[in-house]
Amino acid sequence: MNASSTYEKQLDKVQNFAGFVAALDQSGGSTPKALKLYGIPDDSYAVGETSMYDAMHAMRERIITSTKFGGERILGAILFENTTRREIKGVPSAQYLWEKCEIVPFLKIDEGLKPEQDGVQM
């Protein structure tokens, strides 16, 4: 499939499909809470380290590869930048979402919460 054809098909889906957008974009600041809610104990990873992002990606991969997670209900998925550099079943994440699930990948461009500085956290 060429890039123009992919773009046109994704644009058509975004313009004409009545699904929802899945938020799979937990970044560093929100990841520990998301992992805890998913049942992954705090002591199984180091906050802010590769092990935390590995645990988060494993969680996302389980969600994305579920037979219930598909383009018939889901219009698109918002992805954290780290996820776009990873693979699902040997295929780049964004490519997997579109080609295997027919879900339009969207890139979240913020970098999450920064550490507090001068009494402010952005």
Side-chain angles (χ1 to χ4, degrees):
M1 185 179 307
N2 68 44
S4 177
S5 175
T6 298
Y7 171 78
E8 290 168 4
K9 287 178 181 181
Q10 289 178 345
L11 181 61
D12 180 63
K13 184 159 189 171
V14 170
Q15 291 176 332
N16 299 306
F17 186 75
F20 70 95
V21 176
L24 300 175
D25 61 331
Q26 295 82 12
S27 57
S30 62
T31 297
K33 181 179 177 183
L35 289 171
K36 187 173 198 156
L37 289 170
Y38 199 69
I40 299 171
D42 296 341
D43 62 359
S44 66
Y45 61 88
V47 175
E49 299 294 327
T50 301
S51 61
M52 180 183 80
Y53 294 108
D54 290 346
M56 195 68 205
H57 186 70
M59 182 184 86
R60 286 188 189 110
E61 188 168 359
R62 284 190 297 274
I63 292 168
I64 291 168
T65 58
S66 166
T67 57
K68 303 292 183 190
F69 193 85
E72 62 279 350
R73 289 183 282 236
I74 303 168
L75 165 67
I78 303 168
L79 303 176
F80 174 51
E81 184 265 338
N82 182 287
T83 304
T84 65
R85 293 192 311 258
R86 294 177 177 256
E87 294 182 345
I88 298 171
K89 294 189 173 189
V91 178
S93 298
Q95 182 179 340
Y96 185 94
L97 279 166
W98 178 246
E99 291 180 359
K100 306 293 185 191
C101 304
E102 295 183 354
I103 295 172
V104 179
F106 295 98
L107 174 62
K108 173 182 166 180
I109 58 171
D110 77 50
E111 295 181 11
L113 289 173
K114 300 288 183 193
E116 186 175 320
Q117 183 177 356
D118 299 324
V120 176
Q121 187 175 25
M122 299 177 72

